[in-house]
């Protein structure tokens, strides 16, 4: 190579090197001046090392977790844990959840079946407690402006169960007074006024809970057991979430679950037989099935040893009848699921939890009410199910049980985790309507610029 050619090559190399250095320096200067622009983002990707690539050799954890960002009001304790006889100390608003053994417990029996708000509240408190290990489905944030949803921690079902009856010289129940105070509080908040309450989440799982406030707060997203006692203008599938009852019978482990041949009872029902509204079908079915030798259809309560007997009966039955009562749903469905007893759902108006994720036909049998009351129809249908067909549903039941367990701390795929996921799904529709409403909404800055 000639001396002239070598000189030209060196000059080209130096020129490229210097140009590259100048580009890097100028880019870094530009990043400091405008960190949020599209150009800034592009330059960062070009010249800075990637920090989002996981190093497979380390167990480094993300700085923060949580798909759903939740702002929770610090309501006075009489709206939540005070109903569980928890007494705050000093300036405390919430009990400590660092130690599971010190967390206020929820009352048992039928009270427990509607305890959804209790579990969600505990989970949010745990999200800001590093000592508690839980899924990253939701996390509490301190500013409502950061939040995807605003959670109202009112234990409405417990308030109804414990405080709805008049005591002594009371002229208005404590439950009603709490609801009135809640409405007044929410309506005064900027968080509520921002979207008219549409981004608020309120749990009212007991059918009679929030009875006096539901119309005033109907724009919020509700977590309910069903829509049986709500007009469609207040509660509907478009905006609200259906959550499972907390089962009251003991969960049967997979190892102890009786197979087809060890379940001598064809179908099981134990509970209130004489009901009003859509529940009159229970009496009709009782008259049709009471004399069938392999069907257990009897009155029962949770009193005494009732819950234990019900669990034992379900665990020894092939099918469990879930029949509409005063409302379309009951905890019987979830008791049958954790007993690995194939549910037979006879409730035309029922809405089911997590049905956007779960196909209930894989582990249940659905029967229209009009067909169920035909003489001989239900018995023929169930006796016609082969062992292989039943076994497929039984095996699927054992897989889905985890979705119907409420736990603290919560676990991936349990009821708490699934509820947060369902709320996230509903938010997409909410954001769509909010964005449409904002099409012609002028900002304050824009309006002031027009007036000057």
């Amino acid at each position: 190579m000639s001396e002239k050619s070598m000189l030209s090559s060196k000059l080209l190399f130096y020129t490229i090197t210097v140009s590259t250095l100048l580009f890097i320096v100028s880019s870094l200067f530009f990043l400091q001046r405008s960190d949020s622009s599209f150009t800034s983002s592009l330059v960062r990707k070009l010249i800075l090392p990637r920090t989002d690539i996981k190093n497979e050799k380390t167990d480094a954890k993300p700085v923060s977790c949580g798909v759903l960002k939740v702002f929770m009001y610090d309501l006075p304790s009489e709206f939540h844990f005070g109903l569980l006889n928890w007494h705050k100390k000093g300036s405390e608003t919430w009990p400590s959840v660092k130690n599971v053994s010190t967390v206020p417990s929820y009352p048992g029996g039928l009270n427990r079946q509607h305890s959804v708000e209790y579990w969600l509240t505990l989970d949010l408190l745990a999200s800001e407690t590093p000592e508690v290990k839980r899924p990253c489905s939701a996390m509490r944030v301190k500013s409502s402006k950061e939040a995807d949803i605003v959670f109202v921690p009112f234990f409405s079902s417990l308030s109804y169960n414990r405080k709805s009856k008049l005591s002594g010289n009371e002229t208005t129940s404590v439950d009603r007074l709490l609801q009135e105070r809640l409405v007044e509080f929410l309506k005064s908040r900027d968080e509520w006024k921002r979207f008219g309450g549409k981004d608020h989440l309120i749990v009212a799982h007991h059918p009679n809970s929030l009875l006096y406030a539901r119309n005033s707060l109907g724009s919020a997203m509700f977590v309910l057991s069903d829509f049986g006692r709500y007009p469609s203008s207040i509660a509907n599938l478009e905006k609200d979430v259906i959550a499972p009852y907390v089962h009251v019978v003991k969960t049967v482990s997979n190892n102890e679950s009786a197979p087809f041949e060890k379940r001598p009872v064809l179908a099981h029902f134990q509970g209130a037989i004489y009901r009003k509204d859509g529940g009159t079908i229970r009496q009709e079915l009782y008259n049709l099935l009471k004399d069938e030798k392999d069907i257990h259809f009897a009155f029962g309560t949770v009193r005494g040893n009732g819950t234990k007997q019900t669990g034992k009966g379900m665990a020894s039955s092939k099918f469990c009848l879930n029949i509409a009562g005063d409302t379309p749903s009951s905890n019987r469905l979830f008791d049958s699921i954790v007993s690995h007893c194939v549910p037979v759902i006879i409730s035309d108006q029922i809405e089911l939890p997590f049905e956007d994720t779960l196909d209930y036909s894989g582990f249940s049998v659905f029967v229209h009410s009009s067909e169920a009351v035909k003489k001989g129809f239900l018995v023929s249908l169930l006796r016609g199910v082969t062992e292989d067909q039943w076994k497929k549903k039984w095996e699927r039941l054992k897989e889905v049980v985890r979705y119907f367990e409420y736990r603290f701390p919560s676990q991936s795929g349990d009821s708490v985790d699934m509820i947060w996921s369902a709320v996230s799904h509903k938010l997409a529709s909410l954001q769509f309507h909010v964005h449409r409403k904002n099409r012609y909404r002028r900002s304050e800055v824009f309006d002031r610029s027009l007036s000057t």
Side-chain angles (χ1 to χ4, degrees):
M1 184 180 291
S2 66
E3 187 177 342
K4 184 176 181 181
S5 178
M6 290 179 64
L7 185 62
S8 298
S9 298
K10 288 182 177 180
L11 182 61
L12 180 61
F13 172 76
Y14 292 139
T15 302
I16 292 174
T17 302
V18 172
S19 299
T20 302
L21 288 172
L22 288 172
F23 172 73
I24 293 173
V25 172
S26 61
S27 297
L28 289 172
F29 174 76
F30 183 72
L31 283 172
Q32 291 179 335
R33 295 291 303 274
S34 180
D35 191 54
S36 61
S37 67
F38 168 77
T39 308
S40 168
S41 176
L42 179 62
V43 173
R44 280 185 181 274
K45 291 179 181 179
L46 288 171
I47 68 173
L48 297 180
R50 288 188 63 183
T51 59
D52 60 333
I53 300 176
K54 183 179 179 180
N55 186 347
E56 295 182 358
K57 295 182 180 180
T58 67
D59 292 323
K61 296 181 180 180
V63 175
S64 63
C65 70
V67 175
L68 187 69
K69 294 181 175 64
V70 185
F71 176 77
M72 179 167 67
Y73 289 118
D74 286 325
L75 291 178
S77 61
E78 56 259 42
F79 285 92
H80 42 84
F81 288 99
L83 292 166
L84 294 171
N85 298 319
W86 173 75
H87 302 289
K88 67 176 185 176
K89 297 177 182 178
S91 60
E92 280 184 334
T93 301
W94 304 103
S96 172
V97 297
K98 289 181 182 180
N99 190 338
V100 175
S101 63
T102 62
V103 173
S105 59
Y106 204 91
L110 290 181
N111 280 298
R112 193 174 178 83
Q113 65 180 332
H114 296 297
S115 57
V116 179
E117 56 267 51
Y118 168 79
W119 302 100
L120 295 182
T121 303
L122 284 180
D123 193 54
L124 289 178
L125 294 175
S127 73
E128 52 186 359
T129 308
E131 294 85 352
V132 181
K133 305 303 179 185
R134 53 180 289 281
C136 292
S137 50
M139 63 179 293
R140 188 184 185 189
V141 295
K142 294 300 184 182
S143 171
S144 61
K145 294 179 180 178
E146 299 177 44
D148 301 310
I149 197 83
V150 177
F151 182 69
V152 181
F154 175 41
F155 291 4
S156 60
S157 296
L158 187 61
S159 178
Y160 172 76
N161 281 328
R162 287 195 162 184
K163 302 294 183 179
S164 60
K165 294 181 180 180
L166 296 177
S167 177
N169 296 324
E170 290 177 350
T171 56
T172 305
S173 70
V174 173
D175 178 46
R176 181 164 188 167
L177 290 174
L178 286 173
Q179 292 181 50
E180 291 173 352
R181 286 175 56 194
L182 183 68
V183 171
E184 183 180 1
F185 169 81
L186 291 175
K187 295 284 186 174
S188 69
R189 299 286 300 196
D190 290 337
E191 290 89 351
W192 182 275
K193 294 175 183 178
R194 183 172 53 187
F195 299 123
K198 290 181 179 179
D199 61 344
H200 280 53
L201 184 67
I202 302 174
V203 183
H205 200 261
H206 192 292
N208 293 330
S209 63
L210 213 71
L211 188 62
Y212 305 105
R214 59 179 61 167
N215 288 342
S216 298
L217 304 179
S219 58
M221 184 188 301
F222 288 143
V223 179
L224 306 171
S225 57
D226 58 47
F227 300 128
R229 294 180 182 172
Y230 285 80
S232 58
S233 58
I234 298 297
N236 53 74
L237 267 183
E238 182 181 357
K239 74 176 184 71
D240 300 316
V241 171
I242 298 297
Y245 289 65
V246 178
H247 62 83
V248 296
V249 304
K250 184 180 178 181
T251 300
V252 175
S253 68
N254 289 353
N255 294 334
E256 296 178 345
S257 184
F260 186 87
E261 66 275 10
K262 291 186 178 181
R263 292 178 180 253
V265 179
L266 175 67
H268 180 280
F269 177 91
Q270 186 161 314
I273 295 174
Y274 303 102
R275 310 301 287 174
K276 55 186 178 181
D277 300 326
T280 55
I281 189 177
R282 290 187 182 183
Q283 187 174 350
E284 293 183 64
L285 287 173
Y286 171 73
N287 292 330
L288 287 171
L289 303 174
K290 63 183 180 179
D291 295 326
E292 299 290 340
K293 293 182 179 180
D294 56 353
I295 292 179
H296 176 87
F297 203 122
F299 176 80
T301 70
V302 297
R303 295 177 181 175
N305 211 25
T307 300
K308 189 174 182 179
Q309 290 178 348
T310 297
K312 186 177 180 180
M314 287 182 164
S316 60
S317 302
K318 297 179 178 69
F319 298 96
C320 285
L321 304 180
N322 297 274
I323 312 166
D326 293 343
T327 57
S329 66
S330 74
N331 73 324
R332 190 171 289 102
L333 170 60
F334 308 101
D335 283 347
S336 62
I337 289 174
V338 301
S339 301
H340 304 164
C341 178
V342 176
V344 180
I345 300 174
I346 308 172
S347 180
D348 297 341
Q349 304 302 318
I350 196 170
E351 297 295 347
L352 299 166
F354 322 136
E355 202 167 9
D356 56 344
T357 301
L358 295 176
D359 180 3
Y360 280 74
S361 66
F363 55 89
S364 306
V365 176
F366 289 85
V367 182
H368 286 294
S369 299
S370 58
E371 293 181 322
V373 294
K374 293 178 181 177
K375 188 174 182 178
F377 179 88
L378 190 59
V379 174
S380 297
L381 176 68
L382 298 183
R383 287 182 180 155
V385 177
T386 67
E387 181 175 348
D388 285 344
Q389 290 172 331
W390 182 88
K391 187 176 180 180
K392 286 180 180 179
K393 293 184 183 293
W394 176 62
E395 293 289 359
R396 182 60 179 147
L397 270 176
K398 291 187 285 184
E399 294 174 349
V400 303
V401 164
R402 65 191 184 100
Y403 300 123
F404 303 101
E405 298 282 6
Y406 287 87
R407 299 184 178 96
F408 180 77
S410 63
Q411 297 179 17
S412 179
D414 70 1
S415 293
V416 172
D417 194 36
M418 293 291 284
I419 290 171
W420 290 132
S421 178
V423 170
S424 296
H425 293 167
K426 296 293 182 182
L427 281 177
S429 175
L430 169 63
Q431 290 170 348
F432 172 76
H433 290 296
V434 168
H435 292 167
R436 282 180 62 86
K437 186 177 180 180
N438 285 344
R439 283 180 177 182
Y440 299 103
R441 184 179 180 182
R442 296 168 179 169
S443 68
E444 293 181 4
V445 174
F446 183 65
D447 286 340
R448 283 199 298 268
S449 66
L450 287 178
S451 62
T452 57

